[in-house]
C-alpha cells in the first residue's frame, strides 16, 4: 500500500496565496471577480433558517407499539439517521420538534399524545408511522383512532410495519417540506382537496366519474 497526499498541495498553496492577497486588498479586476464567484454564496435569511431547521431536527423519544421497534433502528449503523442531523432523540418535549407516532393510538392514549405535542415548541412537526396510526390499520376496533383526527400530521409513512428505510424516506420528505422545496404532493399533482381528487368536468356534460369509468 502506498501513502498519498490528499489533494494537490500546489492547489492548496495557491488558494492560501489568493486568500492572503484578498485580505491585503491586493486582488483586483478579473481575479477579484473570480474569487468572489467561487467564495460567496448569497441566500435569504428564511432559506438559511429553513436549511438549518431541516438538518437539525430533534425527534421526541416516544414509541407507541410494534412500529417503534422499526423506528428505533433508524439510529443504527444501517440507516444512520444522524447523517442528516436527526440523530439526537430528546427525552423531553421541550427540546423536541418532531413527534413520530410509531404505532396504533388508542382513544385513551390520544389526549396524552396531544399533550406531548402541545408541550413541544414551535415550529414542530409530526410523522404518522404505520397503517395503524394513519388509518387504524388491521384493527377493526372501536378503541383506536387515526392520528389525523387529533393531530396535524405532516407526513404519513405507510406499511405494517414500515421498514426503517420507509421511515427514512418519510423523514427526507419532511426535510424537503421544511426546507421549502417539497416535490409536489399528490394533492397538487391531481388537483385534489382534502382527501378527494377533483376530476375536470366531462366534455359532454356528464359527471367526471362517468367519463373516468367510460360509462
Ligand atoms: S402498523 Fe403494524 S407494526 Fe405498526 S403498530 Fe400497527 S400492527 Fe404494529
Amino acid at each position: 500500500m502506498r501513502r498519498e497526499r490528499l489533494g494537490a498541495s500546489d492547489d492548496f498553496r495557491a488558494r492560501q496565496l489568493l486568500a492572503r492577497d484578498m485580505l491585503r486588498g491586493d486582488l483586483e479586476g478579473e481575479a477579484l471577480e473570480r474569487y468572489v464567484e467561487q467564495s460567496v454564496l448569497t441566500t435569504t435569511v428564511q432559506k438559511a433558517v429553513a436549511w438549518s431547521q431541516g438538518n437539525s431536527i430533534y425527534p421526541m423519544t416516544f414509541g407507541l407499539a410494534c412500529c417503534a421497534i422499526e423506528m428505533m433502528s433508524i439510529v443504527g449503523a444501517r440507516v444512520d439517521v444522524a447523517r442528516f442531523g436527526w440523530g439526537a432523540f430528546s427525552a423531553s418535549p421541550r427540546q423536541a420538534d418532531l413527534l413520530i407516532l410509531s404505532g396504533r393510538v388508542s382513544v385513551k392514549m390520544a389526549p396524552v399524545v396531544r399533550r406531548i405535542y402541545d408541550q413541544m415548541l414551535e415550529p414542530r412537526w409530526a410523522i404518522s408511522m404505520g397503517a395503524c396510526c394513519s388509518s387504524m390499520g388491521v384493527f377493526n376496533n372501536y378503541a383506536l383512532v387515526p392520528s389525523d383526527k387529533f393531530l396535524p400530521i405532516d407526513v404519513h409513512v405507510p406499511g405494517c410495519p414500515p421498514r426503517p428505510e420507509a421511515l427514512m424516506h418519510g423523514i427526507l420528505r419532511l426535510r424537503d417540506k421544511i426546507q421549502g422545496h417539497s416535490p409536489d404532493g399528490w394533492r397538487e399533482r391531481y388537483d385534489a382537496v382534502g382527501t378527494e381528487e377533483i376530476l375536470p368536468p366531462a366534455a359532454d356534460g356528464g359527471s367526471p366519474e362517468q367519463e373516468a369509468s367510460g360509462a
Side-chain angles (χ1 to χ4, degrees):
M1 187 185 280
R2 258 183 40 221
R3 282 183 160 221
E4 286 181 10
R5 283 177 186 277
L6 279 177
S9 58
D10 289 351
D11 183 41
F12 182 62
R13 178 74 184 140
R15 276 188 286 140
Q16 264 187 332
L17 293 174
L18 207 59
R20 187 199 63 189
D21 290 348
M22 178 69 194
L23 286 174
R24 283 182 179 166
D26 291 347
L27 226 50
E28 316 184 312
E30 211 176 295
L32 179 62
E33 265 187 44
R34 208 175 325 120
Y35 183 85
V36 170
E37 266 176 31
Q38 287 170 353
S39 318
V40 177
L41 175 75
T42 56
T43 185
T44 60
V45 174
Q46 285 92 336
K47 279 187 185 166
V49 168
W51 178 84
S52 53
Q53 274 175 341
N55 288 304
S56 58
I57 292 286
Y58 284 60
M60 178 73 204
T61 308
F62 179 74
L64 281 162
C66 10
C67 275
I69 306 298
E70 305 293 320
M71 181 192 71
M72 288 171 209
S73 66
I74 63 170
V75 292
R78 186 182 167 91
V79 175
D80 191 13
V81 73
R83 286 177 294 161
F84 303 96
W86 297 49
F89 276 68
S90 169
S92 160
R94 288 168 187 84
Q95 281 94 42
D97 45 16
L98 171 68
L99 189 60
I100 302 177
L101 294 176
S102 50
R104 78 281 178 282
V105 186
S106 64
V107 172
K108 204 173 170 185
M109 190 66 182
V112 180
V113 175
R114 180 71 213 202
R115 173 167 291 200
I116 292 173
Y117 182 79
D118 287 341
Q119 285 175 335
M120 288 160 49
L121 297 180
E122 291 278 8
R124 58 194 169 194
W125 297 276
I127 291 180
S128 174
M129 179 186 180
C132 287
C133 194
S134 297
S135 62
M136 293 158 42
V138 294
F139 301 102
N140 182 11
N141 192 322
Y142 61 85
L144 299 188
V145 58
S147 53
D148 272 323
K149 299 275 184 203
F150 63 93
L151 214 64
I153 299 293
D154 294 286
V155 173
H156 288 269
V157 179
C160 174
R163 286 178 58 88
E165 289 83 356
L167 178 58
M168 197 59 225
H169 180 69
I171 282 173
L172 292 180
R173 292 305 299 265
L174 178 59
R175 187 178 71 156
D176 288 344
K177 199 172 167 181
I178 295 169
Q179 292 180 343
H181 48 78
S182 172
D184 287 349
W186 68 271
R187 285 191 182 86
E188 282 77 21
R189 267 186 281 139
Y190 299 113
D191 207 13
V193 175
T195 54
E196 288 170 24
E197 182 182 343
I198 309 291
L199 296 174
D204 63 355
S207 79
E209 287 78 13
Q210 279 172 344
E211 191 181 69
S213 63

